[in-house]
Amino acid sequence: MSTQRNLSSLPDPTVREHSVLRRLISTSSVRSVSETDRPQLHRLASTTSDCSDDFADDDDAMESAEWGTSQSQEEREYGEIERVIYLRYLRACGVMLGLGYLATTVSWQGLRVVTDYWLSLWTEDRRSQVSKALYYLTVYGVLSVASIVLSLITNGLGQYCGAKARRRLHDTMLRTLLNCPVRFFETTPLGRIMNRFSTDLGIIDKKIATSLQRLLQFLLLCFSAVLVNCIVTPWFIALAAPICLVYYMVQKFYRCSTRELQRLDSMSRSPILSHFSETLSGLETIRAFGQQQRFTTALFHKLDTHTNAFLIINSCNRWLGIALDYLGGLIVQSNTKPAVAGVNDQEGVGMSV
């Protein structure tokens, strides 16, 4: 009986839910009425003068300078490249591998000179018999095969040294970038970092190793050519000194010009990447304020600046090619004139040319 009395004294849950729902409805209706009766506020037109933007920019500049978040300017080097840079690249290639590549390159060039000399001996022996001709042919074939094998070893070793160097340099630069503080990323534009990892590393990957191989091969080729010319045409020594001086002056003028142009080309590429990345990140804002034309004009201006440096570099390369062709023609003419006059041996002159 007591249990039934207690249960009958408890309120009905459905009645309680209806009362809560009625209370909520009444509260929301009162709130809606009060909100509708409240006077609406309208935003007044701004009466700020035109100088407010300037003051805002000054405040932003002062704030960025105070917190040290202003973007740093890209530093530009002047003058010759330090020798430490070359030593770092050679150290990245590996000292033993570099010495091995140098030895194989010298051996390959020496074998090429010996092959040409053997061919000149064969052409001098006009009355050689069949057995002697087979002897010349056999030796010439062996020298040619050995030259081909050394060429494959030299090129493969050079490419391996280049691959090792670019892998080490990339890992070192990436490790250094990941260990940089946050302030570095706040003060350095994204385009400058992208330029280092794209264009600069692309030059290291594609051009540096091949250019060093060609440089060493052409140096040895020029040295062997001058040596053979001096042996075949002794009076060529009198022309070798001024010709070498002219070559030195040409290469010095070209290197001084193209080095600065390469730096301008690299520096003018970073603003393009920065502008493009910033435009993509703020594309909605640019379209909202209708500033598409201004950003497009700025991008074209940066592209024109970069293209000017690129065109001047190509013009310098064409000038160097023409100058070297004229100097090479002068050397060939100085060697062929004695042969035409019958002063020197024609086979030796043909080998020197």
Side-chain angles (χ1 to χ4, degrees):
M1 294 294 292
S2 61
T3 305
Q4 292 179 356
R5 188 178 304 166
N6 293 332
L7 290 176
S8 60
S9 62
L10 292 176
D12 190 1
T14 56
V15 176
R16 185 176 58 183
E17 291 178 359
H18 283 295
S19 61
V20 172
L21 182 60
R22 191 180 302 108
R23 191 182 305 111
L24 291 175
I25 293 174
S26 62
T27 306
S28 61
S29 61
V30 173
R31 184 178 302 172
S32 62
V33 172
S34 62
E35 290 179 356
T36 55
D37 295 339
R38 184 182 302 170
Q40 297 182 358
L41 298 178
H42 298 280
R43 182 178 179 180
L44 297 177
S46 177
T47 58
T48 309
S49 62
D50 296 335
C51 299
S52 60
D53 294 336
D54 299 334
F55 287 121
D57 295 338
D58 294 339
D59 294 339
D60 294 339
M62 293 176 61
E63 184 179 359
S64 62
E66 181 180 358
W67 289 95
T69 58
S70 59
Q71 292 184 353
S72 60
Q73 297 294 330
E74 186 172 2
E75 297 181 359
R76 177 188 170 187
E77 298 291 338
Y78 294 92
E80 297 183 356
I81 301 175
E82 298 179 357
R83 297 180 180 178
V84 180
I85 306 299
Y86 298 104
L87 294 178
R88 287 180 181 176
Y89 185 81
L90 294 177
R91 195 178 296 112
C93 293
V95 179
M96 299 304 298
L97 288 176
L99 293 177
Y101 173 73
L102 179 62
T104 54
T105 306
V106 172
S107 302
W108 177 39
Q109 184 60 39
L111 193 57
R112 291 176 62 183
V113 175
V114 172
T115 304
D116 294 338
Y117 177 71
W118 184 261
L119 186 60
S120 65
L121 292 179
W122 188 5
T123 55
E124 287 180 2
D125 194 0
R126 299 185 180 90
R127 298 180 180 179
S128 60
Q129 300 177 357
V130 177
S131 59
K132 206 168 185 179
L134 290 176
Y135 169 71
Y136 281 118
L137 181 61
T138 303
V139 175
Y140 181 75
V142 171
L143 292 176
S144 299
V145 171
S147 179
I148 293 173
V149 172
L150 274 179
S151 174
L152 294 175
I153 295 175
T154 302
N155 292 327
L157 189 59
Q159 291 297 326
Y160 178 75
C161 291
K164 185 177 180 181
R166 56 178 170 259
R167 183 174 63 251
R168 284 186 176 181
L169 293 175
H170 175 269
D171 294 342
T172 303
M173 187 167 65
L174 182 61
R175 192 182 307 110
T176 304
L177 182 66
L178 294 178
N179 292 329
C180 287
V182 180
R183 187 175 182 275
F184 172 79
F185 298 97
E186 294 177 351
T187 58
T188 304
L190 181 60
R192 193 180 305 171
I193 300 176
M194 293 174 60
N195 188 20
R196 295 294 176 269
F197 277 91
S198 58
T199 306
D200 293 349
L201 279 181
I203 293 175
I204 295 176
D205 294 342
K206 300 177 182 178
K207 295 184 178 181
I208 295 296
T210 306
S211 299
L212 287 178
Q213 292 181 30
R214 292 179 179 177
L215 175 63
L216 184 58
Q217 293 173 7
F218 283 136
L219 284 177
L220 294 175
L221 181 62
C222 292
F223 176 76
S224 61
V226 171
L227 182 62
V228 171
N229 286 325
C230 292
I231 294 174
V232 175
T233 309
W235 63 272
F236 179 77
I237 301 175
L239 290 177
I243 289 177
C244 291
L245 181 61
V246 173
Y247 268 109
Y248 175 76
M249 294 175 61
V250 169
Q251 68 87 22
K252 185 176 182 180
F253 178 77
Y254 171 76
R255 287 177 62 245
C256 292
S257 302
T258 190
R259 182 173 56 238
E260 301 301 327
L261 289 173
Q262 288 286 351
R263 288 169 176 169
L264 290 175
D265 178 75
S266 179
M267 290 184 62
S268 61
R269 188 182 289 107
S270 298
I272 297 175
L273 298 176
S274 298
H275 182 81
F276 191 74
S277 61
E278 292 172 359
T279 303
L280 289 180
S281 61
L283 194 59
E284 294 81 2
T285 306
I286 295 172
R287 290 176 177 174
F289 287 91
Q291 298 295 321
Q292 295 92 332
Q293 186 63 36
R294 184 168 70 89
F295 276 79
T296 304
T297 304
L299 179 61
F300 287 163
H301 177 71
K302 298 178 188 299
L303 287 174
D304 290 339
T305 304
H306 173 68
T307 306
N308 290 334
F310 181 74
L311 290 177
I312 297 175
I313 290 175
N314 287 335
S315 301
C316 289
N317 293 333
R318 292 300 92 204
W319 175 85
L320 179 65
I322 294 174
L324 294 180
D325 288 340
Y326 276 112
L327 291 176
L330 180 62
I331 294 175
V332 172
Q333 184 181 6
S334 63
N335 287 329
T336 54
K337 272 190 175 182
V340 173
V343 177
N344 293 333
D345 189 8
Q346 296 180 0
E347 288 80 4
V349 173
M351 176 184 172
S352 63
V353 173

